[in-house]
């Protein structure tokens, strides 16, 4: 009842915090917070309005309680996750569905059972701690694309991340009052060890309740598992997108500068650690990870639900990624996770282009060269999935439209993976459905360190979104195809592959070649270049690439390299079609059109 809600809230909230919450005239919100207070039993509640003082409070507390360690450079801090909690935890993550319903490829759990387990894990978990409540908007405020969200957490680190990565929206909640519909996230890091790392990793659980549009996350700190608005929200927004006929995707959004000052916007989906962020940095940046795509008058428009980057830091160095490197070096608000703190109080990560220090502190405690884990494997200075969190505003290549409520018009959509031996470096599909079926829905990639498990195995990863799917894959594909039918100016769909290798295992391309592919795609969107029609789509002509290599990289491009890279590997492609066919034929909801398009390709 309203009285109980009031009593519960008043028992844990100062007058000021209570006033802040009541400023939002939304009984559902009050009930949600009261329920969380009742269950988690925090000492107190902090309502984060997003004011400069509140943002500062979160930053300060993260350091005071030891969740973050300040570095020498002003604004820089480091957070350490547990050695067993450094990537997305697939095994501990499930979509809750009523009556034990199941979905292909998705870890599901009976809703009642899952909620029961979760409530018992959360019971009293915030004793002695402050419960933090944050209000955010996924997407530009006031945009028709945008979705509101509330995050509850007992981690200053998590809320600090969210304050950098998302638009705070307390004011929007106040404005909308009762009308505010919002996603709900509740997180607790659980008990901590001396290094302030989640201790009960065996009880790590991430449950996504589609019915209640609520995500529960407990006994974990790794950003992908704990930052509600990132990949946890993605599960909920995919569901909404499905119901409302738009696309919620694991994609960057960039503006590519073409000839004569022309800017063409692209979105791109890549499994993590397959070139997504580095491709995003080649353009004018709008987003590096997530995109909402909608049909606006027959065109696709996209907005970024985020305003920051939670990026992989390994291998970022001044030569390959000068823009990111600069952002990570200058005094600025940056949260590093799972890197090494040197003895001088500076940050070090693998592949930054500096000699490896002798010692320092990393996620395993005191680190020195040659330290091994319990299996005898050497512990690197930084974890391969070590990350940085930084505002988009820190980037020199930020596109002025990054916060435009109307989004940008999408000219092309790129799908890429880590594929050693099958797909050419760049290919354009014949049309929307051909691209959706043979490129996007057929995406395969080698597993990387962003996911717990053995790297290197080839994984099926449609739209680079499989880890985040919350709906039946067949229905997801159907929605994609339908979305295309409603477009009068559909974006072109491209496939890229930066990881082709020869028989000796050497890469067939160098890192900067992707600049050329990007320019080729930009020209193709405007129908300025011809192409070779092959059974898998349009591929570049040698002479066009030769000219672009000159123009973009000031380099020769040899015919023999082209021939190797752009050979249509028919046997490998046919094998791939067989694999993909088998997967989808086991999903009853796969649309018939899917098999027709794939069959045409095979023939
Ligand atoms: C990614 O790996 O794709 C990320 C980080 O963006 S995570 O949140 O772990 O998914
Ligand atoms: Mn991602």
């Amino acid at each position: 009842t309203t009285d109980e809600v009031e009593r519960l809230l008043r028992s844990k909230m100062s007058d000021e915090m209570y006033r802040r919450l009541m400023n939002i005239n939304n009984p559902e919100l009050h009930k949600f917070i009261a329920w969380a207070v009742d269950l988690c039993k925090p000492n107190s509640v902090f309502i984060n309005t997003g004011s400069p003082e509140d943002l500062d409070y979160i930053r300060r507390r993260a350091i005071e309680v030891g969740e973050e360690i300040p570095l020498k450079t002003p604004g820089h801090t480091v957070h350490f996750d547990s050695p067993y909690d450094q990537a997305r935890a697939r095994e501990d993550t499930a979509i809750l569905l009523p009556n034990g319903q199941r979905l292909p490829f998705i870890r599901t759990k009976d809703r009642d059972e899952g909620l029961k387990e979760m409530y018992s894990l959360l019971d009293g978990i915030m004793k002695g701690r402050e419960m933090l409540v944050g209000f955010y908007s996924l997407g530009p405020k006031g945009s028709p694309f945008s979705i509101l969200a509330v995050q509850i957490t007992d981690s200053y680190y998590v809320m600090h991340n969210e304050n950098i990565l998302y638009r705070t929206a307390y004011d929007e909640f106040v404005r909308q009052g009762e009308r505010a519909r919002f996603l709900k996230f509740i997180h607790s890091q659980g008990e901590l060890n001396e290094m302030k790392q989640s201790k009960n990793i065996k009880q790590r659980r991430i449950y996504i309740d589609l019915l209640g549009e609520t995500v529960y996350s407990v006994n974990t700190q790794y950003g992908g598992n704990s930052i509600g608005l990132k990949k946890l929200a993605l599960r909920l927004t995919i569901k909404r997108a499905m119901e409302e006929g738009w696309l919620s995707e694991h994609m960057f959004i960039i503006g590519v500068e073409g000839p004569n000052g022309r800017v063409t916007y692209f979105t791109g989906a890549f499994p993590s650690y397959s070139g997504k962020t580095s491709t995003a940095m080649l353009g004018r940046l709008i987003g590096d990870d997530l995109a909402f795509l909608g049909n606006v008058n027959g065109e696709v428009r996209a907005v970024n639900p985020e305003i920051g980057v939670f990026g992989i830091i390994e291998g970022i160095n001044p030569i390959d990624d000068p823009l990111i490197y600069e952002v990570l070096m200058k005094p600025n608000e940056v949260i590093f996770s799972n890197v090494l703190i040197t003895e001088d109080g500076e940050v070090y990560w693998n592949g930054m282009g500096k000699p490896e220090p002798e010692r320092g502190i990393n996620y395993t405690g005191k680190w020195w060269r040659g330290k091994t884990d319990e299996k005898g494997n050497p512990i690197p200075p930084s974890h391969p999935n070590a990350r940085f969190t930084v505002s988009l505003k820190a980037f020199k290549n930020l596109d002025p439209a990054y916060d435009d409520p109307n989004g940008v018009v999408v000219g092309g959509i790129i799908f890429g993976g880590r594929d050693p031996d099958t797909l050419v470096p760049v290919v354009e599909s014949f049309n929307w459905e051909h691209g959706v079926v043979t490129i996007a829905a057929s995406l395969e990639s080698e597993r990387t360190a962003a996911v717990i498990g053995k790297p290197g195995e080839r994984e099926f990863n449609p739209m680079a979104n499989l880890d985040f799917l919350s709906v039946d894959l067949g229905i997801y594909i159907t929605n994609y195809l339908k979305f295309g039918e409603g477009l009068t100016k559909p974006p072109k769909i491209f496939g890229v592959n930066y990881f082709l290798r020869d028989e000796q295992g050497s890469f067939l391309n160098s890192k900067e070649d992707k600049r050329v592919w990007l320019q080729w795609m930009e020209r193709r969107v405007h129908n300025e270049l011809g192409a070779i029609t092959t059974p898998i789509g349009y591929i570049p002509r040698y002479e066009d690439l030769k000219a672009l290599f000159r123009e973009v990289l000031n380099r020769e491009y040899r015919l023999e390299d082209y021939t190797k890279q752009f050979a249509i590997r028919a046997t490998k492609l046919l094998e791939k079609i067989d694999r993909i066919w088998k997967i989808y034929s086991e999903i009853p909801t796969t649309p018939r059109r899917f098999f027709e398009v794939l069959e045409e390709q095979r023939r």
Side-chain angles (χ1 to χ4, degrees):
T1 66
T2 323
D3 285 349
E4 274 173 309
V5 167
E6 186 182 334
R7 183 183 54 75
L8 275 166
L9 292 175
R10 282 219 180 264
S11 72
K12 300 293 180 186
M13 293 173 92
S14 67
D15 289 349
E16 166 62 10
M17 292 303 151
Y18 186 74
R19 187 192 62 75
R20 288 181 179 188
L21 184 59
M22 288 303 144
N23 244 346
I24 303 171
N25 177 23
N26 188 309
E28 189 196 337
L29 171 71
H30 303 161
K31 226 167 96 182
F32 174 53
I33 309 294
W35 167 82
V37 163
D38 192 34
L39 182 60
C40 303
K41 304 179 179 56
N43 258 12
S44 60
V45 179
F46 180 77
I47 302 290
N48 173 11
T49 65
S51 68
E53 296 76 34
D54 287 2
L55 299 184
D56 201 51
Y57 174 76
I58 298 294
R59 278 193 284 261
R60 206 178 66 233
R61 290 293 292 152
I63 293 171
E64 281 170 6
V65 302
E67 284 184 57
E68 292 176 31
I69 300 163
L71 297 176
K72 211 158 83 183
T73 307
H76 286 191
T77 57
V78 172
H79 164 83
F80 293 127
D81 296 311
S82 152
Y84 311 103
D85 189 32
Q86 307 248 345
R88 270 181 246 152
R90 280 184 183 160
E91 302 292 324
D92 299 326
T93 305
I95 307 282
L96 301 182
L97 293 177
N99 313 317
Q101 280 170 41
R102 298 188 161 272
L103 290 172
F105 284 99
I106 300 172
R107 204 165 274 95
T108 58
K109 193 172 175 73
D110 178 72
R111 182 169 187 261
D112 291 341
E113 235 176 78
L115 289 179
K116 203 171 140 206
E117 183 190 2
M118 192 44 82
Y119 294 166
S120 95
L121 285 169
L122 288 175
D123 191 2
I125 201 162
M126 294 187 190
K127 274 184 191 157
R129 290 200 191 140
E130 182 168 52
M131 174 187 278
L132 312 172
V133 184
F135 304 87
Y136 302 94
S137 168
L138 289 166
K141 283 208 254 177
S143 159
F145 287 93
S146 291
I147 295 177
L148 295 177
V150 172
Q151 172 82 57
I152 294 177
T153 177
D154 58 5
S155 162
Y156 297 99
Y157 163 72
V158 166
M159 188 147 286
H160 186 191
N161 270 283
E162 288 187 321
N163 290 343
I164 296 174
L165 294 172
Y166 304 97
R167 296 154 175 99
T168 55
Y170 175 78
D171 53 347
E172 196 62 26
F173 275 81
V174 172
R175 204 175 61 76
Q176 292 192 21
E178 252 177 329
R179 282 178 299 122
R181 182 185 169 198
F182 53 92
L183 310 178
K184 305 182 188 79
F185 302 93
I186 175 159
H187 165 258
S188 172
Q189 50 193 348
E191 257 182 84
L192 301 178
N193 66 16
E194 327 70 62
M195 286 188 71
K196 305 294 171 194
Q197 295 165 327
S198 289
K199 207 161 94 177
N200 300 327
I201 302 299
K202 288 215 172 78
Q203 266 84 52
R204 174 176 57 200
R205 298 288 182 277
I206 300 129
Y207 288 165
I208 295 121
D209 178 28
L210 299 177
L211 229 74
E213 290 200 309
T214 305
V215 182
Y216 304 83
S217 160
V218 60
N219 292 316
T220 177
Q221 292 167 311
Y222 169 66
N225 303 325
S226 66
I227 301 170
L229 278 83
K230 199 170 200 28
K231 295 315 203 324
L232 308 185
L234 181 52
R235 272 74 166 214
L236 300 179
T237 55
I238 286 176
K239 180 80 186 333
R240 271 206 198 178
M242 223 52 39
E243 287 160 3
E244 298 169 359
W246 51 282
L247 304 177
S248 175
E249 298 299 306
H250 188 205
M251 289 177 180
F252 65 58
I253 309 173
I254 56 169
V256 176
E257 295 179 358
N260 306 317
R262 176 175 70 201
V263 178
T264 308
Y265 290 96
F266 284 80
T267 64
F270 298 63
S272 355
Y273 217 33
S274 306
K276 181 146 136 269
T277 302
S278 59
T279 306
M281 289 304 151
L282 299 181
R284 302 189 184 192
L285 187 60
I286 291 191
D288 84 314
D289 197 42
L290 298 170
F292 291 166
L293 283 72
N295 174 342
V296 179
N297 303 324
E299 291 183 311
V300 174
R301 285 184 166 265
V303 301
N304 179 8
E306 309 188 286
I307 48 158
V309 175
F310 176 62
I312 294 179
I313 203 163
E314 180 153 302
I316 288 179
N317 63 63
I319 291 157
D320 297 321
D321 299 283
L323 290 169
I324 309 181
Y325 193 82
E326 187 208 303
V327 164
L328 298 181
M329 283 296 136
K330 66 183 178 190
N332 183 30
E333 186 170 12
V334 186
I335 312 173
F336 298 91
S337 61
N338 308 322
V339 294
L340 182 89
I341 306 177
T342 67
E343 290 177 308
D344 304 331
E346 283 175 7
V347 56
Y348 178 85
W349 63 86
N350 312 335
M352 77 186 292
K354 286 190 190 171
E356 199 175 285
E358 287 297 326
R359 49 184 71 80
I361 296 172
N362 75 0
Y363 58 94
T364 63
K366 278 219 169 11
W367 177 88
W368 56 92
R369 231 193 272 209
K371 186 172 178 180
T372 54
D373 64 16
E374 65 272 33
K375 285 190 198 125
N377 298 317
I379 292 166
S382 67
H383 189 276
N385 195 34
R387 301 248 170 186
F388 61 90
T389 304
V390 71
S391 165
L392 279 177
K393 291 199 192 105
F395 289 89
K396 274 207 295 230
N397 57 329
L398 184 64
D399 188 90
Y402 81 97
D403 199 28
D404 189 331
N406 297 315
V408 293
V409 176
V410 179
I413 303 183
I414 306 169
F415 292 91
R418 271 184 185 261
D419 167 4
D421 58 15
T422 307
L423 196 67
V424 293
V426 60
V427 60
E428 176 190 323
S429 67
F430 295 125
N431 52 45
W432 180 269
E433 63 175 15
H434 179 245
V436 168
V437 171
T438 70
I439 297 175
S442 299
L443 195 71
E444 292 180 317
S445 195
E446 293 179 303
R447 190 192 293 153
T448 67
V451 173
I452 292 174
K454 199 166 125 241
E457 283 169 33
R458 195 195 298 264
E459 292 190 315
F460 169 63
N461 195 350
M463 284 72 171
N465 219 357
L466 188 61
D467 268 354
F468 315 113
L469 271 197
S470 54
V471 297
D472 185 301
L473 179 55
I475 292 170
Y476 177 72
I477 303 292
T478 305
N479 183 54
Y480 243 96
L481 293 174
K482 250 200 227 138
F483 182 77
E485 284 166 22
L487 299 171
T488 47
K489 282 196 229 157
K492 292 201 174 194
I493 296 183
F494 299 93
V496 301
N497 176 23
Y498 308 147
F499 300 92
L500 215 46
R501 292 167 186 257
D502 62 16
E503 291 77 35
Q504 284 73 48
S506 315
F507 287 112
L508 288 185
N509 288 102
S510 59
K511 281 188 185 176
E512 68 268 16
D513 292 1
K514 55 170 95 71
R515 290 177 177 277
V516 174
W517 317 147
L518 207 52
Q519 285 302 319
W520 183 78
M521 292 186 268
E522 201 277 341
R523 306 296 201 281
R524 287 291 299 172
V525 167
H526 301 281
N527 301 310
E528 287 176 359
L529 292 176
I532 301 173
T533 306
T534 79
I536 61 165
Y538 304 114
I539 64 167
R541 299 182 300 200
Y542 171 65
E543 57 273 27
D544 294 331
L545 290 184
K546 189 175 156 74
L548 284 173
F549 264 89
R550 274 243 138 272
E551 181 188 317
V552 179
L553 299 177
N554 194 19
R555 211 177 76 194
E556 276 311 310
Y557 184 52
R558 297 184 310 174
L559 181 60
E560 58 180 288
D561 289 336
Y562 170 80
T563 310
K564 264 193 224 154
Q565 294 161 9
F566 285 91
I568 303 297
R569 295 161 176 80
T571 311
K572 293 281 181 197
L573 286 160
L574 286 167
E575 285 168 11
K576 176 171 173 182
I577 290 179
D578 287 344
R579 288 194 295 273
I580 300 300
W581 188 285
K582 180 166 187 299
I583 288 171
Y584 282 98
S585 64
E586 285 163 8
I587 302 173
T589 47
T590 306
R592 189 151 44 96
R593 190 69 195 129
F594 181 91
F595 296 107
E596 289 167 5
V597 173
L598 208 56
E599 180 56 23
E600 262 167 56
Q601 174 99 81
R602 191 211 306 271
R603 285 210 306 272

